[in-house]
Every structure is written in structure tokens, then in C-alpha cells.
Amino acid sequence: MKKKNREGAVGGKAINNVINVLLALGCLTILFPLYMTVIIAFKKPSEMTNDVAGALGFPANWNFDNFIEAMRVTDFWRSLGNSLFLTGVTVIICILLHSLAGYVIGRKMAKHKLFKASYFYIVSGMFVPFAVLMMPLVKQTAQIGMANRLGVIVLYVVFFMPMNVLLYSGYLKNIPIALEEAACVDGATVWQTYWKIIFPNMKPMHATVAVLTAMSTWNDVMTPLVIMSGSDVNTLPLAQLNFQSQFGTNYNLAFASYLLALLPILIFYIICQKQIINGVVNGAVK
Amino acid sequence: MAERKKKIMALFLAVTTVSGLLLGGCGKKENAEGKVVIELVHYKPEAVDVFEALEEKFNETHDDIELVIDSPNDAMVILKTRFIRENNPDIIGIGGDINYSNFLDANMLMDISDFDGLSEIKENYLSTNKDLEYVPKDGVYAVPYMANAAGVLYNHSMFQEHGWEIPTTWEEFLQLCEDIQSEGIQPLYFGYKDTWTCLAPWNAIAVNLCETDIAYQVNSGNATFAEAYKEVAVKDKELLKYGQPNPVAYSYNDACTAFARGQAAMYVIGSYAIPQIKSVNPEMDIDSFVFPASSEAGENILNSGNDLMFSVMEDCEHKEEAYEVLRFLLEDENIQSYLDDQSAVPCKKGDFKIAPELEGMKDYIDKGIVADYQDHHYPSEMSVDAMIQTYLFDNNSNSLETFLSRFDKEWIRYNKDIISKVKKYQEKGE
Amino acid sequence: MGNHTKRDKAWTKNDKIFLGILIPVLALFFFFNTLPLLKGFYYGLTNYRGYGDYDFVGLRNFKDIFTDLRVGKSYLFTFKYAVVMTIAVNLISLILALGLNREIRGKSALRGIYFVPNILGGLVVGYIFSFIFTYILPTVGEITGIGFLQNSMLASTKTAWLAIVIVGAWQGIAMNTIIYISGLQTVPAEVYEAGMIDGVSGWKKFWNLTFPLILPFFTINLVLCMKNALMVFDQIMSLTKGGPSQSTESISYLIYQNGMSGGQFGFQSANAFVFFLVIVIISFLQMKFLGGKEEQL
């Protein structure tokens, strides 16, 4: 470890080569479980012998029977549709609503105590874990007829509000107030000013919010589990949970199903890896 | 790059909108023909095929009622979540266990004493339900449908091959295990990764060694579990040495699979496991015997409880239609189709064909030498199954004392409200 | 933000429009965040099962929390997990970041791969690792003769929590590494050059020159990692379901398990409320401590 740090970002070539090899080897810890998932997903139960070869060797032939069967039992397309729907609508509402809220609060914070108090009130919501609110929320959403996808979306919108308001109102510092004042002189309403000037100017933040919100929503299990379980609406992770308790011992089928559940986000990641990583870093660092 | 981002965004939006439109089509289930919809949720996902067939049959023969049967996994979680959401089905199919006691205590269930089908149910199953009431309550709140029996399942052909005899006392049972082991075969298999399976041998032993109303006695302050369960705990732990190494690593499914493949000669579990085992090895010749936990052959009692019973929810608005569903389910032909599929024991009087796997227990069933499972009185949040698991794999010399004293202590804390209820009831009675 | 110097604090028309937007947002937030928190406190005062009839029991549940063995164990487990996770994840990701920040071949590909675990769902990852722990590692253990691997890590109370840490870290490291890398990129090359002239090298250089500069990133990572670890749920659900012997029940899992399906709606509501207070205190302390440290340097 000492060796690694010796040369900082510039670095001697020999040491860099060593590090290169080490890092490449380290990648195996990431790739191995994924490789294993693929291999097992293609095998037949009879190929799962009790040795390392049985678990890790290539399947006898690459056929897609497991996947077809897994798609059928988990109702894959509907779960995928639900996950896309929940994530998509949540992201859109979050961007529209939270940027507006961040703007409203951020602009008036210095002038009025009420806005400043609202800022701290909402941002402090970051300290409330979902598990704390879970049980009352289950009751509350059911009582007002929202034990469904709408309810889950609303909960996400509220749950991500503290983080996103913090991000947007923080980013507002980069947008000079003169822009708005100029628009105001031209007779634009607050509403028009916001949509024409502020909203487009917050674009980098929109990307960050979209990435952060989408990732948390897509992979979330707990909210749909407690709000919608028992209805026939499944999300992709939820389908795996139900599948596990039902067909837990057919590992080949199970792994085909897991792989299917991982694929959409993996593909999405491969396509826009840079945006995702930038978004995440922006969110954390700002 | 900005262009690309835009494209991705657009793609994303398009996908979202399309999926939204697609999904918008399937909204609430509303019966357009003005039929009364009766929703039945039961906790036997393994019986989903039978129930689907019954549902279809019912709907074909009834013009004014539509029956919807749900067979979810983790049904108890889902059912309770639905109760929390105040989204109750009309009929629930649950087991005769602590959940029933709780639902009853919370006044969730309807008094169905006026249901005509009750007269056809065997008396002892109805009275089993009475024992589940925290304090005696007027009325009938569930129709027992199927019972199960728990003891030891064994590999019949393997037993015949080696000439092993069915044991009738605890000592004979241990000897049998030794004999099996000496022939290089593993006597037992455990699926203790799923904590609930720890209760199977526990119940089977306890039913012989403890009184059935021990929970009520403790609640009344007349007994302690430390005394009642001492022998049970010791014997339960003794079984471990006849199982596979490291039993906590394997689940119920693993154990069923191993037993089905002949990796163990016996499996201490209930009749409910038979369909699962047969799904791995349909040809397997399984039989069963009552777990001989007592040293006196005549003292053995079969562990049998209400495995599936139907209750109508208190807020059900269509009582008559719900009764019609119950009547339908109790028709002999429909009971038989359930029996054929699930290896259960019917609670209805009459001559039914019982699964051959239960042959070894049939005598006890016919004569009614049966008693309910001890764990039907344990509050689920106390997690007795996990406590037993902890005890079984606690290698300290004082593990028994730790376990027993913890049992009594935790019992009091988890049953606070019930104990005070029992006290109040007794004071009123005096 | 304060460079518009209107001394006039009166409510202009413009302010009122802003207020008109703010109020519905606040209402929404109150209704789905604050209100349930208050309701949770109220349920905590009852013996409610979540359905049916119930009675008020005063502060009994809140008192019971402090003597309940299972709750106590779940707090211990959760804290142990969070602390070990935070240390392990930050240590490993810092090392990775230092490596990935150098002039090496295939840098962006490597970074891309190391980030993959972060985008995958915790539940499915848990299921995959559950298989590795139960079937692959014991086989490897038998072949290599390494004793402790021969039993499934998930089956023993001594190692099950470690298995959860491993899976948690596998996923958590990705995020922290990326943040550290972006931190290291803010360190100007002059710092190193200056250091070289002074003859500072190796560990000393990192500790005295680099680390102070990336301290804000360290703070973020610590807080983020701790916060996520305290809420661990998916991994428990997919790896152990709280077992063996209730040794891996996290607070979130216990609230879900006993509150939703165990009939302890009231008691677990009280537990949830206490959990909330604990989180607030921890976050407050963390910020105070780390904030103070940052100023010092």
C-alpha cells in the first residue's frame, strides 16, 4: 500500500504497471459474480454438480429455455413495464416539482425567515429513514385510496424532496439573479421567467437529479413491497422476491430471472455510463 | 454530447409514456354484470392448482356470484398488510394458529354459528378452535376444512429393504437411528435454515410430553415453561446427532429435496411436506409414523391441527353469498379433489380417501388420539422458532437453562396483554 | 446568495407568488413525511396490531424498547454493521481511488467496471451472493482445505454478519471510490511538486498533503456510507432473513418483520420513533465532529 501512494498522480512507469495489474485483478471480484450468474442461468439443473466445475464451467449448450420460463413465471414484461413507469414518472415529477421548489425556496431564503425555515424543515427530512414512516404510511396511503402505483410515486416524490431541494437551491447560486430581473423588466410573469430562464439554466442539475432519483427508484424494494404487495402489480425487484419464495430451489431458473432483472439497468449503464457517473458525483459533492 | 443526452432523455420519455399507456388499460376489477364478487384469500400457495380448478368450477355453476381466489406467497404477511390497509377480502383461509387467535381477539371475524354446514364438521376440530381463543368467546368463527398430521415421514422402500421396524417408544426411536447410522445411512435431515422448521420436531415431541393447554395454564400463572419444556428441549437437541452436519445451512426446500433423493431415511415434518417431496421424486414410497417421544408406547399422541379453515370477515357485506361459497367448498367431491392433491386430512365427517402416505397415522386419526400443535399458541413476534434454533446450536454447557429461562421471560413480555385479559376474565368468573 | 441588498423585508407581490408555490409543496411534504412521523408516535402509545380493536397503553412500549432483548440485539447488530462497513468501505475505496487516479492503461474502462455494483439492485445481488456463500465458497474451502470456508458463512452466527458486510461493501465501494477520485482530481499537481522538493514521500506525503485536501470528500463519504449502512434492509432480506438465531436482524428489518407481519404494529411504531431520534443524534454528532475537524485543518 505504501508503494501505491509514493508517486501521486504523476507516477513512475514500473509502479504504474504493477498497479495496473492489481487493479485489473481486482476487477475480477466485480466480474466473477456476474460471470457466475450468466453461466448458471444457462445451465440445466442436472449440470449443477457439487464441484467447482459444476458451478463455474460453461454450460453444455447455450439455450434460452430458462429465460423463457423465467419470463413467464415472473411476468417479466409487466414487471419491467411497471418499473419503467414508476421510475419514469417519478423522475419527471421530481425534476419539475423539486426544481421549482428549490428555486422558490432558494431565491427567497435570504429575504424571508419563512422561506429559510421551510428550507431547513424540508432538508431535515433527509434524516427520516423510510422504515420510520413505513407503518403509518401504509395505513395512510390505503385510507386515501393510494395503495397503488400513484401512492408509490407520491411517496418517492416526497422522499427525494429533501435531497433534491438541497441540490437545486444550492445550484441556484450559479444562476445570476440579473437574468431574472431583466426578464421581469420585460414584463414576464414569475411563471414565465421560471420556465424560460431558470429551468433551462438548471440543466446540469436536472441530469444529476434524474440519475440519482432513477437509480434509487429503480432498485427500491421496500416501498412497493409494503404499499402494493398482494396486488398484482409487481416491480422488477419485487418479482424476484416473490419468485424466490416460490421457486427458490431451481437455481438455474432463479438465476435466469435475476439476470433478466439486472439487464435493463446494465444496458442503460453501458449506454450512458459517463452521464451516470457524473450525475452521481455531482449529487454527492455539491 | 448534449445531443446524445437529449436523445437518451427522449427515448426514456417515450418508453415511459408507452408503458404508462399499456398499463393504464388494466384498472380495477369491476364486475360489469352486477354479480356479487366474493374474494377468498388463503395461505396455501402449494394448493394453487386445486383452488384454481375450484374457482373455475364455482363460477361455471353460479350466475349471481363471482368467486375470486387468491393464493399468494407469504400469504400471512400479505393478509396482515391488507388488514393494515383496511382492504379486507370476504373470506380468509388460514391455519388454526396464533394468527387466528389474534384476528379473533381484534374482532375481525364474523360469528358464523348460523352456518348450516357446521353440523357436518367433526367435533374435535371445532373444539380445537375453541382452545385457540385467548379467553372463551361465544360463537363460531371458522369452518375447519383440512387438518394435517405431523410426525415422522420415512422412506418406506428403504425401511423394507433393511428390515427396520417402526419404533413406538423414545428408546426404540434412538435405537433405530443408531441402526440406520451403523449401515452408513443418515437417519434424519433438517432444514433449519428456515427457522420455522425447527418447530416440527419440537411440536412432535412436546405434544407427547406436555398438556395441550399449557399456554393457558402459564397465562393463568399456574405453570412455567421451564418445567414443562425441559424434557422436550433435551430430546429435541438429542436428534441433532442423527442429522447432517451443519443443518442451519440448509433450507426446508433443501431438506425436502434431500429426503426425496434418499439422502436420509426419515424426516421429522408434517404431512404438508409430502407434495413438496413428491414434486422432486414423484415415484417415492413414503409412509409415516407418530413421533414416539414418550417411553410408554400407549402414551403417544398424534400431532394434528387445523391446517386450513375458512373464516368470513366481520365487515363482509355479502354473508349469504359467502356461505354459498363455503357450502360449495364443503361438497364431498370438492373436498376429495383437495385431498388427492394435498395429502391432507379432511375435517368433514364422512368417508374420504386419505393419502397412502398417512397410512401409518390413520389409526390415530380415526380414533381421535390427536392434539394440537404447541406452536399454535406462540405469538409469532416472539419467534419461538428462532429461539429454538438459537438453543439447538448453543454449545455452552448452560444452554438449556438459558433457553428455558428466556422462554418464560419472553413469554410474559410478549403476552402481557393476553395475560391481563385472562386475569380479568378469571376475576369476572369468580 | 445574499447579494441583493433590499433592506425592505415587506412582502411584495412577487414574494406572495413565491409563497403561493411554496405552500402546496410544504403541505405535500407535511402530509407524507411529518404527519406519518407524528402518527407513528401516536401508534407507539397503543397496543395496536395494525388492524382491529386496540387500547392505549401509555408509554409502556417506549419503556419496553430499552429492555427488549431482540430490539437491543438489532441495534447492536446495525451499529456493528454500520461501523465496520464505513471503515472497510472507505479504506478500500480510498486505496482504489488512489490507484485509479494514476496514469494507468485502460483507466476509464477500469473505472467503469468498478462502478457497476453500485447500479445493481441490492436484493438481486444478495440472492446471487447467497448462492456463492452457500454453494461455491464451501466447495472452494473443501478443495483448498481452508477450514473456515467449508461451512456456509451464512449458517454461523459468527460469520453471517461478515457475509452481509462483504455484500454491502461490494456494492458500497463503487460510489465512494468515484467520489474519492473526483476529490483527488481537485488536488493540484503543484502540491506534489512542492512536496517533492521538501523531500516528503510515501505515506507521509499522503497523510500530510493529499488527505487534508480531500477531507471534504472524506466527510461526504463517511456520512453517506454510515447513513446507508444504518438502513440496511435489502441485503438482510435476501441473504439471511435475520438469521441464524436472530443474529443479523437490522433495525429496519425488525420494524418491517414484526411491525407489518408480526402483529407488533404499536410496539414497532415506538421502536421506529426511537430509531428516528437515534439517527438525528448520530447525524448531528457526525456533522459537528467532522465539521469542526475540517475547520481546524
Side-chain angles (χ1 to χ4, degrees), chain B residues 77 80-81 83-84 102-103 105-108 246 248-249 254 380-381 383 386 389-390 406 413-414 416-417, chain C residues 47 49-53 60 64 67-70 134-135 151 155 244-246 256 258 260-262 264-265:
Chain B
V77 181
K80 283 181 195 171
T81 315
F83 288 173
I84 290 172
N102 279 329
F103 297 161
D105 189 54
N107 299 319
M108 300 287 287
N246 205 17
V248 221
D254 293 329
S380 56
E381 62 271 26
S383 298
Q389 192 198 41
T390 310
R406 183 176 169 206
R413 90 170 284 116
Y414 284 107
K416 230 177 240 172
D417 291 330
Chain C
N47 66 357
R49 292 188 182 97
Y51 49 83
D53 302 340
R60 188 186 81 187
D64 281 354
T67 53
D68 190 295
L69 230 85
R70 225 171 141 188
T134 318
Y135 294 97
N151 283 337
S245 304
Q246 301 176 336
Y256 168 75
N258 275 7
M260 296 296 290
S261 62
Q264 281 190 323
F265 196 91

Side-chain angles (χ1 to χ4, degrees), chain B residues 83-343:
Chain B
F83 288 173
I84 290 172
R85 292 197 210 120
E86 291 159 35
N87 168 25
N88 301 346
D90 301 289
I91 304 177
I92 55 172
I94 56 173
D97 53 31
I98 193 82
N99 290 313
Y100 171 72
S101 310
N102 279 329
F103 297 161
L104 197 57
D105 189 54
N107 299 319
M108 300 287 287
L109 309 177
M110 190 187 275
D111 183 358
I112 51 168
S113 342
D114 58 340
F115 174 55
D116 44 328
L118 286 175
S119 56
E120 295 169 60
I121 307 294
K122 286 184 193 158
E123 262 318 304
N124 58 325
Y125 292 114
L126 284 169
S127 68
T128 305
N129 279 348
K130 280 278 140 203
D131 290 340
L132 289 171
E133 293 165 5
Y134 290 135
V135 294
K137 208 170 164 163
D138 289 331
V140 178
Y141 298 88
V143 190
Y145 192 59
M146 290 294 156
N148 59 12
V152 183
L153 301 180
Y154 67 94
N155 190 325
H156 191 235
S157 35
M158 196 189 271
F159 264 58
Q160 276 186 325
E161 201 180 300
H162 293 83
W164 294 321
E165 303 248 322
I166 304 306
T168 53
T169 65
W170 173 248
E171 286 71 23
E172 281 177 30
F173 182 72
L174 292 186
Q175 188 55 49
L176 173 67
C177 288
E178 292 289 339
D179 291 347
I180 296 174
Q181 219 162 25
S182 69
E183 298 200 34
I185 296 168
Q186 192 174 286
L188 301 169
Y189 207 97
F190 302 107
Y192 284 169
K193 188 181 182 190
D194 286 318
T195 45
W196 67 267
T197 63
C198 297
L199 286 166
W202 175 267
N203 281 325
I205 299 171
V207 74
N208 288 318
L209 304 178
C210 306
E211 292 175 44
T212 22
D213 62 342
I214 183 75
Y216 188 77
Q217 285 184 34
V218 173
N219 286 347
S220 328
N222 300 327
T224 65
F225 285 113
E227 268 169 54
Y229 280 162
K230 194 170 174 187
E231 196 183 342
V232 183
V234 171
K235 287 184 170 171
D236 194 21
K237 205 165 186 169
E238 243 173 286
L239 295 179
L240 280 184
K241 62 173 183 267
Y242 300 112
Q244 83 276 28
N246 205 17
V248 221
Y250 302 92
S251 67
Y252 169 67
N253 283 336
D254 293 329
C256 286
T257 310
F259 177 66
R261 291 189 174 154
Q263 291 173 26
M266 302 182 279
Y267 186 16
V268 187
I269 201 81
S271 54
Y272 46 81
I274 295 171
Q276 172 80 20
I277 296 165
K278 290 240 160 178
S279 75
V280 180
N281 182 359
E283 311 290 285
M284 188 174 185
D285 184 8
I286 311 170
D287 201 350
S288 55
F289 58 84
V290 176
F291 194 99
S294 167
S295 298
E296 296 290 327
E299 278 180 12
N300 290 328
I301 301 169
L302 174 65
N303 216 184
S304 174
N306 288 336
D307 193 31
L308 178 60
M309 51 194 211
F310 297 110
S311 294
V312 181
M313 301 301 294
E314 174 68 35
D315 60 358
C316 169
E317 286 165 9
H318 306 284
K319 188 173 163 185
E320 251 327 297
E321 286 82 356
Y323 279 8
E324 180 55 32
V325 171
L326 294 181
R327 263 177 230 123
F328 168 81
L329 290 169
L330 283 171
E331 281 169 21
D332 286 357
E333 192 187 302
N334 298 334
I335 289 187
Q336 190 61 53
S337 68
Y338 186 95
L339 290 178
D340 294 343
D341 192 69
Q342 289 295 310
S343 316

Side-chain angles (χ1 to χ4, degrees), chain A residues 4-6 16-17 20 23 26-27 29 36 40 106 108 111-112 121 139-140 219 269 273 280-281, chain C residues 1 9 14-15 31 34 43 48 50 95 98 102-103 105 112 114 119 121 131 136 170 175 178 205 283:
Chain A
K4 276 192 189 173
N5 303 331
R6 189 155 287 157
N16 270 348
N17 281 339
N20 222 328
L23 282 172
C27 271
T29 57
M36 200 197 72
I40 294 176
K108 298 288 172 188
K111 190 174 172 200
H112 290 292
Y121 171 54
K139 266 221 116 72
Q140 193 176 316
N219 286 327
Y269 174 69
Q273 181 188 338
V280 168
V281 171
Chain C
M1 156 85 250
K9 294 239 165 177
N14 181 279
D15 290 351
F31 193 70
T34 313
Y43 289 132
Y48 198 24
I95 295 171
L98 285 169
R102 299 174 67 114
E103 290 305 319
R105 258 165 291 155
Y114 275 108
I119 58 159
F131 183 87
I136 300 208
W170 189 79
M175 180 78 163
I178 293 296
K205 187 172 82 184
S283 310

Side-chain angles (χ1 to χ4, degrees), chain A:
Chain A
M1 165 159 163
K2 266 188 179 172
K3 257 186 186 166
K4 276 192 189 173
N5 303 331
R6 189 155 287 157
E7 298 300 335
V10 204
K13 256 215 166 118
I15 298 166
N16 270 348
N17 281 339
V18 174
I19 290 172
N20 222 328
V21 171
L22 287 178
L23 282 172
L25 284 177
C27 271
L28 292 181
T29 57
I30 311 283
L31 297 177
F32 170 72
L34 298 176
Y35 164 76
M36 200 197 72
T37 312
V38 175
I39 292 301
I40 294 176
F42 276 100
K43 284 188 180 174
K44 291 201 184 73
S46 57
E47 293 177 60
M48 304 286 287
T49 47
N50 263 341
D51 50 38
V52 173
L56 301 178
F58 281 127
N61 50 45
W62 301 87
N63 69 46
F64 287 84
D65 291 354
N66 288 336
F67 294 91
I68 294 162
E69 177 66 5
M71 278 183 161
R72 195 184 60 79
V73 277
T74 58
D75 207 350
F76 176 76
W77 293 112
R78 266 193 70 193
S79 313
L80 179 69
N82 277 323
S83 277
L84 280 174
F85 177 75
L86 286 178
T87 308
V89 175
T90 304
V91 167
I92 292 168
I93 297 181
C94 280
I95 289 178
L96 297 180
L97 186 72
H98 294 165
S99 63
L100 185 62
Y103 167 66
V104 165
I105 292 172
R107 268 294 177 256
K108 298 288 172 188
M109 242 165 76
K111 190 174 172 200
H112 290 292
K113 280 222 174 84
L114 180 68
F115 285 90
K116 189 152 188 129
S118 306
Y119 176 77
F120 284 115
Y121 171 54
I122 291 179
V123 169
S124 66
M126 257 191 287
F127 300 123
V128 190
F130 180 71
V132 169
L133 306 177
M134 177 175 70
M135 288 182 287
L137 275 178
V138 171
K139 266 221 116 72
Q140 193 176 316
T141 48
Q143 279 160 351
I144 54 175
M146 292 200 349
N148 48 28
R149 284 176 294 179
L150 174 68
V152 173
I153 291 171
V154 170
L155 290 186
Y156 282 141
V157 168
V158 173
F159 199 68
F160 297 131
M161 196 188 279
M163 180 72 181
N164 291 348
V165 163
L166 180 85
L167 289 173
Y168 277 121
S169 61
Y171 190 76
L172 206 62
K173 290 173 198 161
N174 301 337
I175 303 172
I177 199 159
L179 274 177
E180 288 163 61
E181 279 164 355
C184 208
V185 172
D186 291 345
T189 62
V190 172
W191 198 244
Q192 285 166 335
T193 318
Y194 175 72
W195 289 114
K196 291 221 172 99
I197 296 171
I198 305 297
F199 190 80
N201 267 303
M202 290 209 268
K203 213 163 147 198
M205 229 351 123
H206 294 326
T208 296
V209 166
V211 166
L212 288 179
T213 311
M215 276 186 4
S216 323
T217 314
W218 182 266
N219 286 327
D220 182 49
V221 181
M222 218 173 179
T223 316
L225 173 67
V226 295
I227 301 295
M228 305 192 300
S229 66
S231 67
D232 50 359
V233 183
N234 258 346
T235 65
L236 219 40
L238 212 53
Q240 308 311 312
L241 188 72
N242 293 335
F243 179 80
Q244 170 75 13
S245 48
Q246 206 173 354
F247 303 94
T249 44
N250 188 344
Y251 288 106
N252 305 94
L253 197 55
F255 273 68
S257 172
Y258 302 156
L259 192 57
L260 284 170
L262 294 180
L263 271 183
I265 188 120
L266 265 177
I267 293 171
F268 189 65
Y269 174 69
I270 291 167
I271 298 173
C272 34
Q273 181 188 338
K274 220 175 200 145
Q275 286 86 341
I276 290 180
I277 291 185
N278 284 343
V280 168
V281 171
N282 268 340
V285 176
K286 285 270 155 61

